Amino acid sequence: MENLILLADAYKNSHHKLYVPGTSHIYSYLESRGGRFEETVFYGLQYFLKAYLEGPVITAEKIREAGQMLPEVFGRNDVYDASRFEYILARHGGHLPVKIRAVPEGTVVPVKNVLMTIENTDPACYWLTNFLETLLMQVWYPCTVATLSREIKKVVLKYYKATASGAFFDGIDFVLNDFGFRGASSVEGAGIGGSAHLVNFSGSDTLVASTFAKRYYHAASAPGLSIPATEHSIVTLLGEEGEADIFKHVLDTFPEGTIACVSDSYNIFRACSEYWGTELKEQVLARKGTLVIRPDSGDPVRTLLEVFSILMDKFGFTLNEKGYKVLPPQVRVIQGDGISYTSIPEIYEALKQAGVSAENLVLGMGGALLQRVNRDTQEFALKCSYAEINGQSVDVYKSPVEMDAEGRLRTSFKKSKAGKLKLVKDLDGFKTLPLAERPDAEDLLQTVFENGKVVKDRRFEDIRKLAAL
């Protein structure tokens, strides 16, 4: 899948003929038109630029490969025009004559604002701007995962502020852990989506996420951190009667540091009461580190309330300065089943009502983090807003009329912006303006790619700082 010519919707190969004669310039922009959350974290573009657009990406071999496939796709020979790509190869050495400007990655921008623009730099390649839409539009995915992850961090922070000791606030970065690798639709998806989560949190078992952050964003060290942990294949090896022996083996193997042990293989409540809280209690409390007990089935709220009731009865608790119960530092709980943006506040609110501090619990999130999103979650769109035809500037836009559920006509939310754009920030926040308006205001869009070269190279640590709450 390294042939850029084949990384577009097939129909785009007809556009070189369908743009009106005299077209020489196409300028398009990307925005989040709305959706579930009111603001969007911009992240992931640099990966697509480096992985797919940088360098001489058009070659004679790729042109030939496309020349074999596309006539088969269309069932005719008058759609794909190899000379369009041969021109790029001959004139530009296979480098793409386009300029892309974007807001710095990690910036948190309210919806309905421009995030990125793309335009051709060679008049003969007017068709290339939106040919690249299919690929570049995929930035919706890391943006949406980063946005979702950050919105969850807002929820966590809310309950930490309400119930947790200030001394534990540094631990917020490890509250939400990415368990989504196995549920991702591809290794690439796990890498770019998992790294988007790491913009906000540091806990992750998705190793490829750290690989992406280091390879494409110069992360100084692996940003996704993990701990030794069991799974059911380990805990069930000796059957139900041997579960306590397995638990002891886990403690013996890692006498120091943080470890996690799944404990619901047979009866989570017995495991907490009789094994961890009685038989192994002294060994747990003697450890230089934390045992994280993991329920993995049942209703999360009801299960956690009972688990915390048992653990606090067996291990005791203290009251923090806000009056909420806190287990001894050697014991914590992780909930990794049924975790989503919807269930997390329900869980924390139930704990709050029960007098249990949020600092007792960490979370693991899989499919709901990396898979349960789509382009419409934040209503991403890339639309043409400006063109030059026969030397004349043209502001381009669409304004669909649609019918609502009651049969009334209205202007669709899909109405697009017109003209060349810039993004500014003043005392009232972010605003998208016509490029010529307010020349004194700094345009936050910066050139990141031009004529085959990445000209702005963002570091992962800087992206984290921009996105920080």
Side-chain angles (χ1 to χ4, degrees):
M1 301 308 297
E2 297 178 352
N3 190 340
L4 183 70
I5 304 172
L6 300 176
L7 295 182
D9 294 317
Y11 73 89
K12 287 185 178 289
N13 283 278
S14 65
H15 289 182
H16 64 92
K17 288 187 172 183
L18 296 174
Y19 281 111
V20 297
T23 302
S24 61
H25 193 82
I26 295 292
Y27 170 104
S28 296
Y29 74 97
L30 175 80
E31 72 172 326
S32 168
R33 295 186 294 204
R36 188 171 192 179
F37 306 114
E38 294 182 354
E39 54 188 10
T40 297
V41 180
F42 188 68
Y43 172 75
L45 176 62
Q46 185 165 295
Y47 162 69
F48 289 100
L49 298 180
K50 289 185 173 183
Y52 294 102
L53 301 190
E54 187 176 31
V57 295
I58 304 299
T59 66
E61 181 182 356
K62 292 176 182 178
I63 294 171
R64 284 194 298 270
E65 181 186 24
Q68 293 172 350
M69 179 180 290
L70 288 169
E72 297 173 359
V73 170
F74 290 107
R76 52 197 295 174
N77 295 315
D78 61 346
V79 178
Y80 172 64
D81 184 354
S83 70
R84 302 284 171 170
F85 296 99
E86 290 166 350
Y87 173 85
I88 295 175
L89 179 59
R91 183 67 180 268
H92 300 283
H95 294 77
L96 299 176
V98 296
K99 179 167 71 173
I100 299 174
R101 308 185 77 234
V103 67
E105 295 196 32
T107 305
V108 184
V109 183
V111 297
K112 304 184 187 301
N113 279 293
V114 58
L115 298 170
M116 177 187 83
T117 66
I118 177 172
E119 58 192 306
N120 58 294
T121 58
D122 182 333
C125 297
Y126 59 89
W127 54 271
L128 182 58
T129 298
N130 270 37
F131 182 86
L132 297 173
E133 174 195 9
T134 313
L135 180 64
L136 290 176
M137 176 58 75
Q138 292 198 339
V139 77
W140 75 261
Y141 175 63
C143 287
T144 303
V145 174
T147 300
L148 172 62
S149 176
R150 188 173 185 272
E151 291 295 326
I152 292 172
K153 196 169 190 178
K154 289 181 184 179
V155 175
V156 173
L157 183 59
K158 170 186 173 182
Y159 282 97
Y160 261 64
K161 286 181 177 179
T163 71
S165 169
F168 287 89
F169 272 50
D170 289 343
I172 288 178
D173 285 349
F174 294 93
V175 169
L176 185 66
N177 296 269
D178 173 12
F179 290 172
F181 196 170
R182 71 190 61 185
S185 60
S186 67
V187 172
E188 182 184 33
I192 190 62
S195 67
H197 166 69
L198 293 176
V199 169
N200 307 293
F201 289 94
S202 297
S204 176
D205 276 306
T206 301
L207 280 172
V208 69
S210 288
T211 301
F212 267 57
K214 289 170 71 71
R215 182 174 299 171
Y216 297 104
Y217 288 92
H218 311 288
S221 60
L225 306 180
S226 186
I227 61 172
T230 66
E231 63 182 22
H232 289 103
S233 70
I234 292 169
V235 177
T236 58
L237 279 180
L238 299 182
E240 186 170 358
E241 66 280 2
E243 185 178 37
D245 293 331
I246 296 291
F247 289 171
K248 186 176 189 308
H249 171 67
V250 171
L251 296 177
D252 292 341
T253 303
F254 289 101
E256 296 185 358
T258 302
I259 57 172
C261 189
V262 62
S263 303
D264 75 324
S265 300
Y266 305 103
N267 185 328
I268 180 65
F269 309 112
R270 179 182 62 197
C272 292
S273 177
E274 298 180 19
Y275 302 156
W276 296 124
T278 301
E279 186 176 337
L280 301 171
K281 174 181 176 179
E282 296 308 317
Q283 187 175 359
V284 170
L285 292 177
R287 292 185 75 252
K288 295 180 180 179
T290 302
L291 166 69
V292 185
I293 298 170
R294 178 160 74 98
D296 196 45
S297 54
D299 177 78
V301 170
R302 291 181 179 275
T303 299
L304 286 171
L305 289 175
E306 183 63 20
V307 164
F308 278 118
S309 176
I310 293 170
L311 293 177
M312 288 181 175
D313 177 62
K314 294 296 182 179
F315 287 98
F317 60 88
T318 58
L319 293 178
N320 63 23
E321 68 268 25
K322 295 174 182 174
Y324 288 86
K325 300 174 187 177
V326 182
L327 284 165
Q330 296 90 344
V331 185
R332 289 293 182 268
V333 176
I334 183 169
Q335 178 68 29
D337 183 58
I339 297 301
S340 68
Y341 178 71
T342 302
S343 69
I344 289 171
E346 294 174 350
I347 289 169
Y348 277 120
E349 183 61 30
L351 294 184
K352 179 184 176 184
Q353 295 301 320
V356 177
S357 171
E359 66 205 73
N360 292 289
L361 178 69
V362 293
L363 305 166
M365 193 168 168
L369 179 64
L370 299 188
Q371 287 292 116
R372 211 174 297 165
V373 294
N374 57 52
R375 185 164 68 92
D376 290 334
T377 302
Q378 288 300 100
E379 301 288 355
F380 272 90
L382 193 152
K383 296 298 175 185
C384 175
S385 62
Y386 173 85
E388 292 176 8
I389 305 170
N390 295 318
Q392 299 296 312
S393 297
V394 180
D395 287 348
V396 181
Y397 70 97
K398 70 171 188 174
S399 184
V401 172
E402 63 184 16
M403 189 173 292
D404 66 18
E406 284 74 39
R408 295 170 298 196
L409 295 181
R410 64 185 181 189
T411 300
S412 171
F413 78 97
K414 292 185 176 182
K415 179 180 180 179
S416 63
K417 295 173 170 58
K420 288 193 170 184
L421 307 169
K422 66 180 179 183
L423 182 69
V424 303
K425 186 178 183 182
D426 56 25
L427 294 177
D428 296 324
F430 289 92
K431 293 179 182 178
T432 298
L433 299 175
L435 188 60
E437 189 173 318
R438 289 185 54 186
D440 59 313
E442 178 190 5
D443 186 358
L444 298 180
L445 300 180
Q446 302 173 356
T447 301
V448 296
F449 182 89
E450 191 164 16
N451 298 330
K453 296 181 180 179
V454 175
V455 296
K456 279 283 185 184
D457 209 348
R458 308 285 179 189
R459 303 187 66 85
F460 198 74
E461 289 78 9
D462 295 331
I463 293 169
R464 277 181 156 178
K465 289 177 183 177
L466 272 180
L469 290 172

